[in-house]
């Protein structure tokens, strides 16, 4: 009994002392939050990417100003991520750079001072020292497990890097959660060797001679996905295989997903099968197989989901029918379709009152099969 009590006391002591130890010894909480209106030139340098600024101006959601990517080179900097919602970038003087720090809380972006990491600083791993320059592909948690956010939020940072003049300073690429095979596949296709890639799950708190990071290339507050990102992805991953013919009719199934499943999918596909549709499970395909599939498809029917990020690879005039739960919407894939000159149609399903489910973008739902069929132009 005495041994149990002693172990319990030790555990309680660890819990109580840990936060104080980290505050006094590791000093994670930043001393100052910097914005680009008052940069400390002795701590870091910043340059604007003139090529992208001149050619690829991006309008904010209020259409009042143009946004240009900025890249930062932080000497002896620190980057910390919780691999869920937040990341932060701190100078050697303990100053947080707000322009490249990104944090979500309860589904919305919060200010740098409210970054989740500082609320949970006692959970942060000890700092790992890395020699040389580290380029961050982190995106505030979005790209941790989500395919769309990886393609549109993380990878475009490599385009900004290539235009910046800092690429030769990079030895390692800090990548969010390498468990998904498509991440390594895309980086290898962009001539980044596996030995240069470090996983944010293992290295969630690092200090390097240079931390190099960019502002968000595809900020969620913007009204539109930047056209230059779509072009970058097409230039990077579309093959020049002339044998690929644009003739497939595909239906993307979410049967194996946890949310947003079509309840009467079997009946829907029975009708689509008469129109020579194939049922596709994107999770079973490699990255390049997904690229080739979307680039060779003539009609694509799918519930809303991250796999529709592949619409960026579709050929002009491809017919797209995106299916949503009732009373829900998302502009992302409609916007990508507009960028790529695709023939886009949105359809909202319905929910049987007997199911007693809340209506939101994540709900399972039913579709009117005859209505979906009427939207398909098989002669297109």
């Amino acid at each position: 009994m005495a041994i149990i009590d002693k172990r319990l006391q030790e555990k309680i002591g660890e819990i109580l002392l840990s936060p104080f130890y980290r505050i006094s010894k590791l000093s994670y909480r930043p001393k100052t939050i910097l914005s680009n209106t008052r940069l400390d030139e002795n701590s870091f340098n910043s340059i604007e990417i003139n090529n992208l600024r001149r050619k690829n101006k991006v309008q904010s959601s209020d259409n009042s100003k143009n946004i240009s990517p900025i890249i930062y080179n932080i000497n002896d900097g620190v980057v910390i991520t919780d691999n869920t919602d937040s990341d932060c970038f701190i100078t050697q003087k303990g100053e947080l750079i707000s322009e490249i720090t990104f944090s979500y809380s309860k589904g919305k972006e919060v200010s740098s001072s409210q970054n989740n990491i500082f609320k949970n600083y006692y959970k942060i791993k000890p700092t790992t020292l890395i020699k040389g320059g580290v380029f961050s592909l982190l995106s505030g948690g979005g790209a941790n497990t989500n395919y769309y956010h990886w393609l549109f939020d993380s990878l475009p940072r490599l385009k900004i890097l290539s235009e910046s003049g800092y690429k030769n300073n990079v030895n390692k690429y800090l990548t969010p959660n390498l468990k998904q095979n498509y991440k390594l596949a895309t980086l290898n296709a962009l001539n980044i060797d596996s030995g240069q890639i470090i996983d944010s799950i293992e290295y969630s708190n690092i200090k390097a001679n240079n931390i190099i990071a960019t502002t968000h290339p595809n900020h969620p507050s913007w009204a539109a996905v930047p056209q230059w990102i779509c072009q970058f992805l097409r230039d990077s991953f579309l093959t020049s295989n002339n044998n690929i013919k644009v003739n497939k009719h595909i239906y993307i199934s979410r049967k194996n997903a946890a949310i947003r499943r079509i309840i009467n999918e079997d009946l829907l596909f029975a009708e689509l099968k008469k129109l020579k549709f194939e049922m596709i499970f994107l999770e079973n395909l490699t990255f390049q197989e997904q690229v080739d599939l979307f680039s060779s498809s003539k009609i694509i029917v799918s519930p809303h989901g991250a796999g529709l990020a592949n619409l960026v690879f579709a050929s002009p005039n491809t017919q797209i029918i995106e299916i949503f739960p009732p009373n829900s919407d998302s502009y992302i894939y409609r916007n990508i379709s507009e960028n790529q000159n695709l023939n886009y149609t949105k359809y909202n399903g319905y929910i049987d009152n007997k199911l007693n489910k809340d209506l939101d973008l994540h709900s399972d739902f039913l579709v009117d099969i005859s209505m979906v069929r009427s939207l398909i132009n098989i002669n297109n």
Side-chain angles (χ1 to χ4, degrees):
M1 188 69 176
I3 295 176
I4 295 176
D5 289 342
K6 185 176 180 180
R7 288 177 179 172
L8 181 59
Q9 290 173 2
E10 290 174 350
K11 187 64 177 177
I12 292 173
E14 289 175 7
I15 295 172
L16 293 175
L17 291 175
S18 179
F20 296 101
Y21 172 79
R22 291 188 182 275
I23 290 173
S24 62
K25 299 295 184 181
L26 301 178
S27 302
Y28 286 126
R29 197 173 185 89
K31 299 174 183 177
T32 307
I33 296 177
L34 297 180
S35 72
N36 61 5
T37 58
R38 47 190 189 88
L39 302 180
D40 184 341
E41 294 182 358
N42 294 320
S43 296
F44 60 92
N45 299 311
S46 69
I47 64 169
E48 293 190 25
I49 314 308
N50 293 323
N51 306 53
L52 295 179
R53 180 184 177 89
R54 186 165 56 249
K55 297 179 182 178
N56 302 294
K57 290 185 177 181
V58 179
Q59 290 192 322
S60 63
S61 57
D62 63 4
N63 296 320
S64 63
K65 60 183 179 179
N66 292 319
I67 308 297
S68 299
I70 301 175
I71 193 164
Y72 293 89
N73 176 31
I74 314 168
N75 298 321
D76 296 319
V78 172
V79 55
I80 304 171
T81 178
D82 63 4
N83 286 302
T84 305
D85 300 298
S86 308
D87 49 48
C88 63
F89 298 83
I90 303 175
T91 72
Q92 58 182 313
K93 294 183 179 180
E95 302 155 317
L96 181 144
I97 308 172
S98 62
E99 277 68 33
I100 49 178
T101 289
F102 200 74
S103 179
Y104 262 82
S105 179
K106 297 180 180 179
K108 64 179 181 179
E109 186 182 1
V110 297
S111 66
S112 297
S113 62
Q114 298 300 311
N115 192 299
N116 295 322
I117 288 171
F118 307 129
K119 296 179 181 179
N120 300 292
Y121 55 84
Y122 55 90
K123 298 179 181 178
I124 298 171
K125 292 181 179 180
T127 305
T128 300
L129 300 177
I130 296 180
K131 293 182 179 180
V134 175
F135 183 72
S136 172
L137 290 167
L138 303 179
S139 188
N144 187 48
T145 58
N146 186 280
Y147 183 76
Y148 164 80
H149 288 295
W150 171 251
L151 289 187
F152 282 83
D153 297 356
S154 288
L155 289 182
R157 297 171 193 269
L158 295 169
K159 171 67 173 176
I160 302 172
L161 176 66
S162 69
E163 300 283 354
S164 71
Y166 279 134
K167 188 172 183 179
N168 291 337
N169 296 13
V170 175
N171 305 102
K172 300 288 184 181
Y173 294 83
L174 180 61
T175 303
N177 189 4
L178 274 173
K179 289 182 180 179
Q180 291 84 23
N181 293 332
Y182 59 79
K183 292 178 180 175
L184 190 58
T186 51
L187 292 175
N188 288 166
L190 292 168
N191 298 316
I192 296 175
D193 185 81
S194 299
Q196 296 177 281
I197 302 168
I198 55 178
D199 191 340
S200 69
I201 299 296
E202 182 178 358
Y203 297 94
S204 59
N205 177 11
I206 66 171
K207 180 176 183 179
N209 299 109
N210 300 93
I211 297 290
I212 302 172
T214 78
T215 51
H216 203 303
N218 181 37
H219 199 281
S221 67
W222 294 347
V225 175
Q227 174 60 40
W228 71 263
I229 293 180
C230 294
Q231 193 59 51
F232 162 70
L233 293 172
R234 289 179 66 83
D235 291 344
S236 299
F237 302 116
L238 269 179
T239 65
S240 57
N241 187 349
N242 295 324
N243 293 322
I244 295 179
K245 296 181 180 180
V246 181
N247 59 9
K248 292 183 180 178
H249 301 168
I250 63 171
Y251 168 75
I252 309 300
S253 175
R254 289 183 58 85
K255 184 178 292 186
N256 298 327
I259 59 172
R260 208 180 305 113
R261 294 162 296 194
I262 295 179
I263 297 168
N264 57 341
E265 180 179 85
D266 289 344
L267 293 175
L268 171 63
F269 185 69
E271 184 65 24
L272 295 179
K273 193 173 182 180
K274 298 175 184 176
L275 306 176
K276 299 182 179 180
F277 272 77
E278 301 175 50
M279 182 180 286
I280 303 295
F281 295 89
L282 292 178
E283 62 269 25
N284 296 334
L285 304 182
T286 66
F287 171 72
Q288 192 58 53
E289 286 172 341
Q290 293 184 56
V291 173
D292 293 343
L293 176 69
F294 275 71
S295 66
S296 63
S297 294
K298 187 175 183 180
I299 305 175
I300 301 170
V301 178
S302 175
H304 172 75
L308 283 177
N310 289 306
L311 289 179
V312 72
F313 305 118
S315 299
N317 299 315
T318 300
Q319 185 179 8
I320 312 300
I321 299 174
E322 183 177 14
I323 304 175
F324 290 88
N327 301 323
S328 61
D329 193 12
S330 171
Y331 71 89
I332 295 172
Y333 304 121
R334 178 169 62 248
N335 178 241
I336 292 173
S337 296
E338 291 170 355
N339 280 346
Q340 302 310 120
N341 296 314
L342 309 180
N343 181 6
Y344 177 91
T345 302
K346 171 197 171 186
Y347 167 73
N348 284 95
Y350 67 96
I351 291 179
D352 191 325
N353 291 333
K354 295 179 181 179
L355 297 177
N356 193 28
K357 294 177 70 70
D358 295 329
L359 302 179
D360 61 31
L361 190 57
H362 303 303
S363 299
D364 293 344
F365 61 100
L366 295 156
V367 297
D368 183 324
I369 295 169
S370 61
M371 178 63 72
V372 174
R373 171 63 184 89
S374 71
L375 298 174
I376 298 172
N377 182 5
I378 203 68
N379 296 317
N380 182 32

